[in-house]
Amino acid sequence: RALGVATPTESKDITIQGESKAGTVVGPTSGSVNQNVFVLSDSADGATLNNLTVSSRATGSFGAIRVFDAGGGASIDNVDLTGITVTGLASSTSYGISFGTAASGWDLDDVTITKFISGIDNRAATVTNTTITNSLFTDNQNGIYVTANMSVIPNTNLFDGLTVTDTTFNNNHETGVYFEGLKNATFTRVTINNTNFSPCPGCNQARGVQLNLKNGTYSNISFVNSKVTNSFHEGLVLQVRGYAGDSGTY
């Protein structure tokens, strides 16, 4: 059954338990509805979403799961997403999980995210100690997308402590994973396949893994027993800073 929601803001330690991924759908299932489905604010520490589908029909800059604290940017911690599907309208619209404030201790297990600009999007926060296991990012523009904060040194928009295991990034159009800020990260038995679209020759798209690290010092990034196949351009790109012609702002 589908549950219509008016952007619920979750409270501490709450659990939303569905009957099955297909059987419990939270959010609109038809038309175009420009709103977040869930907003996780500072009161959402310890929240769990389990065994359901989160459905977004937004065409603007909304998140199916939006992590945001309007009261001053408190960290949203220890959130568990288990056995859920997060689905959007198309790969050119909105975001699956959108970090707009700091977060720590998130655990994603058996999560499918599909049909968003970015499956996970971080343009505004330091996200620490995140685990992603047995999950699938498919038919998005980008599987994971992180952009740096160029106004401060060091950059504060990043993942620090990211563990991705037994997870597939398939048929994402521009990048499987794209990071401008990443450290202390391990990708184990990860498959990135068929990153297959680039709007122009030589553009920074259609790459399986793109580490375009900016405005900081990054270390301890490992890929273990993982594979990148069928990328339109490079499988893995590491864009180091300071080469001839590089921007001095990085």
Side-chain angles (χ1 to χ4, degrees):
R1 57 196 176 116
L3 305 177
V5 295
T7 313
T9 300
E10 296 310 316
S11 299
K12 288 182 183 293
D13 298 320
I14 192 171
T15 295
I16 298 181
Q17 172 74 46
E19 59 186 23
S20 68
K21 283 186 182 181
T24 303
V25 180
V26 180
T29 57
S30 63
S32 175
V33 182
N34 283 324
Q35 66 177 38
N36 306 302
V37 180
F38 286 101
V39 176
L40 304 185
S41 69
D42 183 39
S43 60
D45 289 354
T48 297
L49 302 182
N50 186 28
N51 218 26
L52 53 84
T53 290
V54 182
S55 175
S56 171
R57 304 290 295 183
T59 60
S61 297
F62 298 91
I65 300 174
R66 173 71 168 152
V67 187
F68 181 72
D69 180 60
S75 184
I76 316 303
D77 300 336
N78 303 319
V79 172
D80 289 338
L81 307 178
T82 304
I84 73 170
T85 293
V86 186
T87 184
L89 187 60
S91 63
S92 59
T93 59
S94 69
Y95 308 106
I97 301 173
S98 175
F99 287 98
T101 194
S104 183
W106 280 51
D107 185 12
L108 282 66
D109 186 10
D110 186 23
V111 172
T112 296
I113 304 180
T114 183
K115 295 184 180 178
F116 293 100
I117 295 174
S118 305
I120 294 177
D121 191 89
N122 179 10
R123 303 170 193 242
T126 299
V127 180
T128 61
N129 301 324
T130 305
T131 63
I132 302 172
T133 309
N134 298 319
S135 293
L136 173 64
F137 296 75
T138 186
D139 296 311
N140 304 290
Q141 189 165 305
N142 306 279
I144 299 175
Y145 191 86
V146 180
T147 57
N149 182 348
M150 301 305 297
S151 64
V152 298
I153 299 175
N155 164 47
T156 56
N157 295 357
L158 73 157
F159 276 86
D160 182 0
L162 174 64
T163 302
V164 184
T165 307
D166 296 322
T167 291
T168 297
F169 298 82
N170 183 64
N171 201 40
N172 298 295
H173 305 317
E174 292 192 0
T175 57
V177 294
Y178 176 90
F179 294 95
E180 294 184 359
L182 177 69
K183 59 184 177 181
N184 302 315
T186 302
F187 298 80
T188 304
R189 296 184 301 276
V190 168
T191 297
I192 300 174
N193 180 57
N194 201 33
T195 310
N196 60 7
F197 174 77
S198 183
C200 57
C203 288
N204 293 334
Q205 286 95 21
R207 294 166 166 170
V209 178
Q210 187 165 350
L211 303 180
N212 185 15
L213 303 176
K214 299 179 178 180
N215 211 29
T217 300
Y218 306 95
S219 62
N220 195 24
I221 301 170
S222 301
F223 290 83
V224 181
N225 296 329
S226 297
K227 61 183 179 181
V228 182
T229 58
N230 297 325
S231 298
F232 186 82
H233 289 314
E234 301 92 341
L236 186 151
V237 172
L238 176 60
Q239 293 174 270
V240 297
R241 304 273 67 98
Y243 59 86
D246 192 20
S247 170
T249 62
Y250 293 164

